[in-house]
Amino acid sequence: MNEQSIAITRRGVERIEQGFTWIYRSDLLEASPGVPEGAIVRVVDGRGWFKGRAFYSTESQIALRLLTREDIPCDRDFFAKRLDAAIDLRRRAFPGETVYRLVHADADLLSGVVIDRYGEVIVVQLLTQGADALRDLLVELLRERFPEARAIVERSDAKVRHLEGLTPIKRVLFGEAPGAIEFCEGEVSQRIDPMEGQKTGGFLDQRENHLLARHYASGEGLDCFSYTGGFAFQLARHGCSHVTAVEISQSAAALIKEGAERNGLFNLTVETANAFDFLKARSLTGARYDTIVLDPPSFAKSKASLDSALRGYKEINLRALQLIRPGGHLISASCSFHVDEQRFEEMLRSAACDARRSIQIIERRGAGRDHPVLLGMRETRYLKCFFLRVL
Ligand code: SAH
């Protein structure tokens, strides 16, 4: 079959030469009727010169997702090498460990493909037409590389698939439905459900930050937006006399309770509540904390919602700063790509100003090393996690 070529504008060429991997539909030089969804196409400039190979999407405004700038075939061997390069990074960064994000989409030059490994259970998210077309190959390659895997699950039920004209999918691709799975985070065990939990079951991007949080834990702790208690368990185990975990989802709150019992953390209380209301109510009662974690879901899903998102972040951070005793710590995160580190820091400064507190930044962190950032592709840097001390 003849490979199809798609010509792009100078601006599109410049972008990919600078390390960006997306080409917007407005940068295609002509409509591309007849190119099938998810096809791998040759990308050329206005003169027909080869610029790379990319996945094509018939629906998304991101028409092309670059796979390579080299003139090599994007065949089985190509994808096997990409997967091996991703695996190699995790094996170096996490020697002997089996829980990590194995493939982080564009950052691993596999746009649209997210693969999380929870030991013997592997969870795949295919978010674009191109990624969707790789399903069978990925399962084959994963089985070859992880013969110990007892299940490969697909959690392609993220909303972004709609932008690609794809329906949500949640199913077992290999093995049997795994049920709940347990893994260690430092000295505590976590239990998540890869079929029913949020995203792929867990939030692996915060794992390294969970572990670091123990160093700052003391006194009365509060973990808002706790999900399965990743931060709360560390605080309760290492340094806080008592911890309150606040989580709005009933099923997640049940997992925190169950996990606290399993880990013998009898100093942990779970509040199934809206964290905004909880923080407000606590500030009215004059409650005080020594260690607070704020790890909300993304408030800015699009650029248009940036202002209201910043107001939301400021509200919870301001309240938290008012509730913290002098010498206490705030661990404050945002996973909104649109709120970049500079905006996040400015929001914190403004909250500190209103709270009349002096704040030290101890660490400006992001997602763990299994979520690398592709230089030239700001979109791959989404998580901010600041460790702060309130003076
Ligand atoms: N801190 C967690 C991940 C948090 S994800 C970890 O490290 O693993 C965000 C969580 O906030 C989700 O579990 C979601 O159910 C919860 N959530 C969303 N809105 C909320 C609200 N208004 N109040 C409390 N929890 C909320």
Side-chain angles (χ1 to χ4, degrees), residues 198 203 206 210 225-227 231 247-249 273-275 295 297:
Q198 298 182 28
F203 287 85
Q206 288 284 27
H210 293 161
F225 310 93
S226 189
Y227 187 42
F231 283 106
E247 168 56 52
I248 207 166
S249 145
N274 182 329
D295 183 22

Side-chain angles (χ1 to χ4, degrees), residues 106-315:
D106 291 279
D108 282 298
L109 298 182
L110 281 168
S111 197
V113 179
V114 170
I115 305 179
D116 284 346
R117 180 179 179 206
Y118 300 95
E120 295 172 351
V121 177
I122 296 175
V123 187
V124 177
Q125 271 188 314
L126 305 171
L127 302 173
T128 60
Q129 291 180 0
D132 203 76
L134 287 186
R135 181 178 294 103
D136 293 346
L137 176 59
L138 285 173
V139 171
E140 208 179 293
L141 295 173
L142 286 168
R143 287 189 59 191
E144 278 172 18
R145 281 152 186 78
F146 300 99
E148 70 277 27
R150 65 182 165 91
I152 301 178
V153 166
E154 177 172 2
R155 284 295 305 272
S156 303
D157 50 343
K159 285 204 187 93
V160 287
R161 263 173 76 96
H162 292 305
L163 303 176
E164 298 273 338
L166 299 169
T167 51
I169 296 176
K170 182 159 85 170
R171 63 177 162 197
V172 177
L173 293 171
F174 162 74
E176 291 189 358
I181 47 179
E182 265 179 49
F183 56 88
C184 286
E185 270 193 2
E187 290 174 22
V188 301
S189 99
Q190 264 292 344
R191 182 177 290 177
I192 57 117
D193 187 338
M195 288 299 274
E196 301 307 326
Q198 298 182 28
K199 305 269 167 78
T200 67
F203 287 85
L204 296 177
D205 51 1
Q206 288 284 27
R207 258 165 82 77
E208 294 194 301
N209 295 328
H210 293 161
L211 293 181
L212 204 71
R214 347 174 236 204
H215 301 308
Y216 303 102
S218 71
E220 190 64 33
L222 174 63
D223 177 21
C224 291
F225 310 93
S226 189
Y227 187 42
T228 57
F231 283 106
F233 291 177
Q234 298 298 333
L235 301 188
R237 166 72 95 213
H238 300 279
C240 285
S241 47
H242 176 260
V243 177
T244 308
V246 182
E247 168 56 52
I248 207 166
S249 145
Q250 301 251 354
S251 55
L255 281 173
I256 309 174
K257 277 184 199 151
E258 186 257 344
E261 273 174 38
R262 191 176 63 251
N263 285 292
L265 301 170
F266 303 111
N267 57 342
L268 198 161
T269 311
V270 183
E271 295 271 349
T272 311
N274 182 329
F276 282 85
D277 299 340
F278 181 90
L279 287 165
K280 190 170 174 189
R282 286 298 146 114
S283 48
L284 293 176
T285 63
R288 287 291 176 269
Y289 296 89
D290 301 284
T291 315
I292 301 184
V293 179
L294 299 174
D295 183 22
S298 175
F299 293 157
K301 295 266 187 287
S302 67
K303 221 173 176 172
S305 54
L306 184 60
D307 286 345
S308 69
L310 285 168
R311 281 195 295 278
Y313 288 117
K314 182 167 170 190
E315 179 176 338

